């Protein structure tokens, strides 16, 4: 039975996005070069978001903003990915207004406010928060600043407007970076 590459990629994206993606080094099919096989099997950022089932709005926004090529490129990015529920919590009509072609620049600014250059796993972010004395500030691709801190065992991100979002799932690995799922949308100042 032949499984198409597209179907296989979608299935792997779904598995990776739920954090259940694991490869065993002892698997005979991966005995040679298993590290390379594991990376090739992982989806890119956009494919992973498409496979989660909870990032439909984010994927639509990335497409409307023309950021698909950027977020599928080889460069490494860390994306704080708001869920559909996070977008739904915005005031009525906000998402529809942002998706209009005439608001593309504003949408792009909001989306790139959720992206950081480089692969920053949760362990590295946790260490940076501790080393900074409890609050770590970092710059996004949009040129704006976010701050990360702890609320109990959770990483919380505060945006320029003072809104807070919790990282609900960390370290969804992709070929071109890492995704941290958030329960809120960051708004630039």
């Amino acid at each position: 039975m032949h499984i198409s590459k597209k179907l296989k990629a979608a299935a792997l994206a779904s598995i990776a996005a739920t954090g259940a993606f694991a490869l065993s080094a002892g698997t005979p099919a991966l005995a040679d070069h298993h590290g390379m096989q594991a990376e090739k099997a992982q989806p890119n950022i956009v494919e992973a978001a498409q496979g989660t089932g909870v990032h439909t709005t984010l994927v639509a926004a990335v497409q409307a903003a023309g950021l698909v090529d950027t977020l599928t490129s080889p460069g490494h990015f860390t994306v704080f990915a708001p869920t559909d529920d996070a977008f739904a919590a915005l005031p009525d009509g906000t998402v529809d207004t942002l998706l209009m072609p005439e608001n593309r620049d504003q949408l792009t600014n909001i989306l790139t406010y959720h992206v950081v250059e480089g692969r920053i796993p949760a362990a590295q972010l946790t260490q940076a928060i501790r080393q900074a004395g409890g609050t770590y500030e970092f710059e996004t691709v949009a040129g704006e600043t976010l701050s990360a801190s702890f609320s109990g065992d959770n990483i919380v991100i505060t945006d320029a407007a003072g809104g807070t979002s919790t990282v609900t799932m960390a370290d969804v690995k992709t070929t071109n970076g890492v995704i941290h799922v958030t329960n809120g949308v960051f708004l630039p100042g």
Side-chain angles (χ1 to χ4, degrees):
M1 177 184 214
H2 176 18
I3 298 175
S4 74
K5 287 183 181 180
K6 190 172 183 179
L7 178 60
K8 186 175 180 181
L12 290 172
S14 178
I15 292 168
T18 59
F21 188 77
L23 292 174
S24 170
T27 303
L30 299 176
D32 292 331
H33 314 296
H34 67 273
M36 289 174 32
Q37 293 291 336
E39 185 163 320
K40 287 181 184 177
Q42 290 178 344
N44 62 46
I45 290 169
V46 174
E47 291 168 339
Q50 288 172 327
T52 66
V54 298
H55 289 107
T56 306
T57 306
L58 177 61
V59 171
V62 166
Q63 291 169 338
L67 293 172
V68 171
D69 288 344
T70 301
L71 293 176
T72 59
S73 72
H76 291 288
F77 301 101
T78 298
V79 177
F80 294 92
T83 62
D84 293 337
D85 289 342
F87 280 104
L90 293 172
D92 286 343
T94 301
V95 173
D96 291 336
T97 299
L98 287 171
L99 292 176
M100 293 176 156
E102 61 268 24
N103 296 322
R104 184 175 179 171
D105 289 344
Q106 184 181 7
L107 177 62
T108 300
N109 189 46
I110 290 171
L111 292 175
T112 57
Y113 192 41
H114 291 77
V115 180
V116 178
E117 285 191 47
R119 186 185 307 256
I120 305 169
Q124 184 179 341
L125 187 55
T126 296
Q127 183 179 11
I129 294 167
R130 288 187 178 130
Q131 288 177 342
T135 302
Y136 172 69
E137 291 188 347
F138 54 97
E139 188 174 327
T140 67
V141 171
E144 301 270 349
T145 301
L146 292 171
S147 63
S149 58
F150 294 114
S151 176
D153 291 336
N154 297 315
I155 295 175
V156 174
I157 308 296
T158 303
D159 63 24
T164 59
S165 301
T166 301
V167 174
T168 59
M169 180 188 289
D171 294 334
V172 177
K173 294 177 183 173
T174 70
T175 57
N176 60 340
V178 64
I179 297 173
H180 301 303
V181 178
T182 65
N183 66 356
V185 177
F186 308 152
L187 298 175

